[in-house]
Amino acid sequence: AASSLEVSTPAVVEVEIGGTARIECRFHIPENDSYTYIDWFYVDRTNSRVRLCHITDREVLKDDTDYKERLSVGEDKALSISKVTMQDVRTFVCQVGAGSSGVGESRTELRVYKVPETPEIEPNPAGISVQSSDIPQIARCVSRNSFPAPNITWHKNGEQLQLQENQVKYTRTRESSGLYTVTSTMFAPVTREDRDSHYHCTVHYWLRGQRHALESRKVKIKVFYPAEHLKLQVMPPSSLVKEGDNVKLVCEADGNPPPVFSFYKRELEDDWQDLSWLTEPDSGVLNLHGVNKSSSGLYRCQTLDLDDMTQLEKEVELVVNYIEGVRVEMDPSSPVQEGDSVTLSCDAHSPVALDYQWRDEKGKKVAEGNQLFLSNLTFETPNNFSCKVVAPSVPGLEQSKEVSVAVHGKPRIVAISSPLYVRQDEVVNLTCKAIAVPRPSLHWNVNGTAHEYIEDQHIASNLTVRVSHDLLKAGAMCRVSNELGVSEKHIQLLDQRTTAESQGVIIVAIIVAILVVAVLGAVIYFLHKKGKIPCGRAGKQDITRPEARKDKIVVEVKSDKLPEEAGLLQGANGEKRPNADQ
């Protein structure tokens, strides 16, 4: 057991600014005596004690100090100070008086803190050149409203930088609120690889004996460096460029900022045409609209770095694919007659391989290859064809050439209205239709009103005429002729009344024939029933009778009936006759 009065308080109490500080005071009095009083003090800047309050078992007396309104004492005699500020950073003393046991006391250091705000980082807005002779400023980091003042470290790509003294500028400012603003500025040389680097700063502060940290956002800096490599390419790729396309020549340099681009096209051996006026502003893109065969050639991109005046250049060959000189030849080339055969040959020139297709006038593909063979030609044979030339390796590159195959020959009459059934004195239309090349003329050998018209490749004529006796007898003749020959056909006219009478005679004759056959069949059946006509399976047999019956009808019957079927032929009395009688 302790033999003297013992008083204890925490050595340090930490509280955030604006919070409430609570300092407990514990004591032990020998032989369980009670305390006489408890006094709380603080130590001012002159190291003098200033009493805050006097506590007895009956009351708490607060002294008239700056803490009077913020001070309170708990049941356990702990001292509480509300709305703590930076001015409260001082030492507090708990003193206990216990009569004969004497007086004891203990001291507590009150510390206040304010967690800093998240640090703000700003990269160098002007950018940094790798060729800078001085150590350039990378970024600036600011930590605001903290207490006490924190420390700041710098990081690159997640790794903390070990900076020399001349690479960091550190300033600390105490604001009117008593809080600190700390600024750290970092200086360091850069390389072209730092264009992809990320920088951030970290604020470190202590709290309750432990170190804490807050990180800023990560930033990149503008790094300026001269171009080392140049790339020039054709878009779309030169192998796919065809006449009429819009082409871009894209020049790219790996410098920052981009250099000044210039474009040239070689016209002669040492003559280069300046095309920079066709480029997009502040870019390395040369636009060529509607290129043609003459656009092919060697192009050059040249760059100029304005910092060190260095130049780079790159060349590329542009090939504009084309098809030209498409022609179709016909063999034989002389006029084609009906029944002839011809061969059409198609040819064209291009720097790439070509395929050939033949299509008819309806656009249907009829053959592949550069030749089309047509045999046994007629007037009706389609005579318009096109040769389509395609470059398979260059999508969309194609051309066509049309050719007409004219088949010549004497006229051929393809349709007439014959025979035509008419009545005398009626008005009828006679039709004649023919085809020929060159176009023929069509004539009738009778007078009438002719209406001539063209239908597809055919010439046709409708002749309106009144049927006379002579016309009905002789008919009409259609004559078609051109410089290669003549064709004619006769139209036969038939009198409908004569035809009707002839048809009536034929019908009567048919009816009479049918009646005769019917009567003959009835007679045979009657005689058979009377037994006058024998039938059997003998196949073929002459039946003779006595002289008195020579005037009777003799019938020869052939039968291939089977024996069991022959029984169907019976005698007059319905009985089966013997085989000898059959």
Side-chain angles (χ1 to χ4, degrees), residues 9-10 70 80 158 176 254 342 412 419:
T9 59
R70 297 190 291 137
S80 295
S176 59
D254 61 353
V342 298
R412 175 159 42 87

Side-chain angles (χ1 to χ4, degrees), residues 161-173:
L161 297 173
Q162 303 300 322
L163 301 173
Q164 301 298 321
E165 186 176 348
N166 64 340
Q167 292 182 272
V168 180
K169 181 180 179 181
Y170 189 82
T171 60
R172 183 176 66 180
T173 303

Side-chain angles (χ1 to χ4, degrees), residues 6-9 24-28 76 94 96 106:
E6 294 180 357
V7 180
S8 64
T9 59
E24 295 181 351
C25 183
R26 300 180 184 276
F27 52 86
H28 174 73
D76 58 351
C94 176
V96 179
S106 179

Side-chain angles (χ1 to χ4, degrees), residues 241-245 265 290-297 299 317-325 349-351:
V241 176
K242 63 182 181 298
E243 284 193 314
D245 284 350
K265 180 177 184 292
V291 296
N292 53 37
K293 177 182 177 181
S294 63
S295 303
S296 298
Y299 289 78
E317 186 80 23
L318 172 62
V319 177
V320 178
N321 297 291
Y322 60 90
I323 298 176
E324 67 178 8
H349 176 68
S350 175

